[in-house]
Amino acid sequence: MKQKRFILQENELPTQWYNIQADMVNKPLPPLNPGTREPLKAEDLFPIFAEECARQELDQTHAWIDIPEEVLEKYRFYRSTPLVRAYELEKALGTPAHIYFKNESVNPLGSHKINSALAQAYYCKQEGTTNVTTETGAGQWGTALSYAAKVFGLECAVYQVKISLQQKPYRSILMRTFGAAVTGSPSMSTRAGKDIITRDPTHLGSLGTAISEAIELATTTPHCKYTLGSVLSHVTLHQTIIGLEAEKQMQMAGEYPDTVIACFGGGSNFGGLAFPFMRHNILDGKQTEFIAAEPASCPKLTRGEFQYDFGDEAGYTPLLPMYTLGHNFKPANIHAGGLRYHGAGVIVSQLIKDGLMYGVDIPQLETFEAGILFSRTEGIVPAPESCHAIAATIREAKKCKETGEEKVILFNLSGHGLIDMTAYDQYLNGDLRNYAISDEDIKANLEDVPHII
Ligand SMILES: *Cc1c(COP(=O)(O)O)cnc(C)c1O
């Protein structure tokens, strides 16, 4: 019988994360202090983030970073996650390609986000923090952090994008079940929230507004630190556990990927899967292709501009060199809430400039079509975010059908969609549509970006 699932034993789990910054030939440009416009030092981030996370963020020298024993112990609750060969999907597509996916949906929180939530909560606890706060879009990050905070004995306050809070009530129930306090953003509980509501009383929130509110809470509350679920380099660092496991599991399957694909919000599940393989392109001359799948309605990788921009709406964060649609970008209200962020992480942005990877943008209806086919073949309902990776995989598998190439394709199933069934309901009822964004809108939005480059 052909083997379908590949799992690592506990003693085979990776014990270090991989920091691709150390191996990059062209390092990412430095984040800038928004006031002085000087390159940021780790100390500048200490008031906001756990100090260890701040150091990891700017570390361009250590390729391997030990995973703390306490975090490894929690990883063992659900890791390794399975690497799965999608035989049924291959058959349905009639493709000669070998399709594998790394199944990050199998932990009880339902997405990859827990891999970094545990690490960030651990470092906060170690450094004497008592409270953590964050933003959440679709709700996966908030859920993961709520649980991780509980595990390490911290209080947790989450600002959830208002529209998501309304669309996905089960997410906030889940966060409250884990003990977090949840507030819709923009809210009247912060200066930033009040300003946003005063400007636009009907504002239904964005990751940008929720980040501003969470940072404000962290900087105005003693012993409270802010945490972020994507975009930043230390978050992606923690997610490399995915790719490091996958590398060993692909070995068990006797294959090596020709193409690696993941969906793209800020880049953490993409980098988490891709960077351990990309190191062999950089160091050993491998020729693997890396594809980041983003929504056509939020196309920063394919149509954004490489500029220094803020990570949030109010402009509280450092200036980051990244592909961006502008920090005031208000994305269409698509279902893949986790992919509606205006900017890409600094590492990925540099890698795109250097031609080591590229983005593709995918219309909403094609993503759900892919998610339905995957559900009906592999028996797992994917998160709307993950559907973008599946759609990109299907595009590649169809190309193989035309050319007859037996390519090995590996994609990340970043989460399951069982709490997003309203999205599937709307798709099945024919109520969803595609959203395009015009060049004029992108251009107008980029006018608010400080043009430093
Ligand atoms: C948050 C999320 C994403 C997008 O975030 P990245 O940092 O780009 O990975 C993708 N998939 C799922 C299931 C998510 O929860």
Side-chain angles (χ1 to χ4, degrees), residues 368-390:
F368 278 99
E369 200 182 306
I372 297 269
L373 179 64
F374 188 77
S375 305
R376 291 178 186 175
T377 49
E378 296 296 323
I380 303 168
V381 179
E385 289 85 356
S386 314
C387 289
H388 292 69
I390 300 172

Side-chain angles (χ1 to χ4, degrees), residues 30-34 36-45 49 57-58 317-320:
L32 302 181
N33 180 312
T36 62
R37 300 210 168 165
E38 290 294 318
L40 211 66
K41 294 190 286 294
E43 299 85 89
D44 297 330
L45 294 171
F49 293 104
E57 185 63 27
L58 300 176
T317 70
L319 285 161
L320 301 172

Side-chain angles (χ1 to χ4, degrees), residues 36-231:
T36 62
R37 300 210 168 165
E38 290 294 318
L40 211 66
K41 294 190 286 294
E43 299 85 89
D44 297 330
L45 294 171
F46 289 176
I48 303 178
F49 293 104
E51 295 183 6
E52 187 54 29
C53 292
R55 280 189 284 269
Q56 291 173 355
E57 185 63 27
L58 300 176
D59 186 339
Q60 299 191 331
T61 47
H62 302 95
W64 298 96
I65 294 181
D66 288 341
I67 305 174
E69 189 51 49
E70 292 83 346
V71 175
L72 270 179
E73 185 189 315
K74 302 301 182 291
Y75 277 178
R76 284 189 210 112
F77 284 21
Y78 62 98
R79 307 205 70 89
S80 69
T81 62
L83 175 81
V84 186
R85 173 93 182 257
Y87 287 112
E88 297 305 314
L89 178 64
E90 290 172 18
K91 210 192 304 169
L93 295 169
T95 178
H98 297 188
I99 303 176
Y100 291 85
F101 63 93
K102 182 73 167 149
N103 189 354
E104 287 296 308
S105 80
V106 291
N107 71 74
L109 294 310
S111 83
H112 68 285
K113 296 253 170 38
I114 186 66
N115 300 328
S116 184
L118 287 169
Q120 293 188 51
Y122 166 76
Y123 289 126
C124 284
K125 182 68 182 182
Q126 276 297 95
E127 296 170 16
T129 297
T130 56
N131 294 54
V132 286
T133 181
T134 196
E135 77 296 326
T136 195
Q140 288 103 328
W141 170 245
T143 308
L145 187 72
S146 304
Y147 167 69
K150 235 351 123 196
V151 165
F152 289 109
L154 301 165
E155 293 299 319
C156 178
V158 178
Y159 287 94
Q160 183 172 15
V161 176
K162 207 178 264 175
I163 182 76
S164 301
L165 190 69
Q166 292 167 2
Q167 273 183 348
K168 303 184 174 185
Y170 283 105
R171 279 288 173 193
S172 60
I173 300 170
L174 206 50
M175 289 183 260
R176 285 161 47 220
T177 300
F178 286 120
V182 183
T183 309
S185 173
S187 78
M188 297 298 278
S189 70
T190 61
R191 177 80 262 152
K194 282 180 205 162
D195 286 350
I196 292 161
I197 291 172
T198 312
R199 278 204 308 276
D200 179 0
T202 63
H203 203 307
L204 287 173
S206 66
L207 281 172
T209 68
I211 294 173
S212 299
E213 293 202 84
I215 293 182
E216 186 177 320
L217 185 73
T219 50
T220 54
T221 312
H223 309 297
C224 179
K225 285 286 164 79
Y226 170 69
T227 66
L228 190 63
S230 183
V231 185

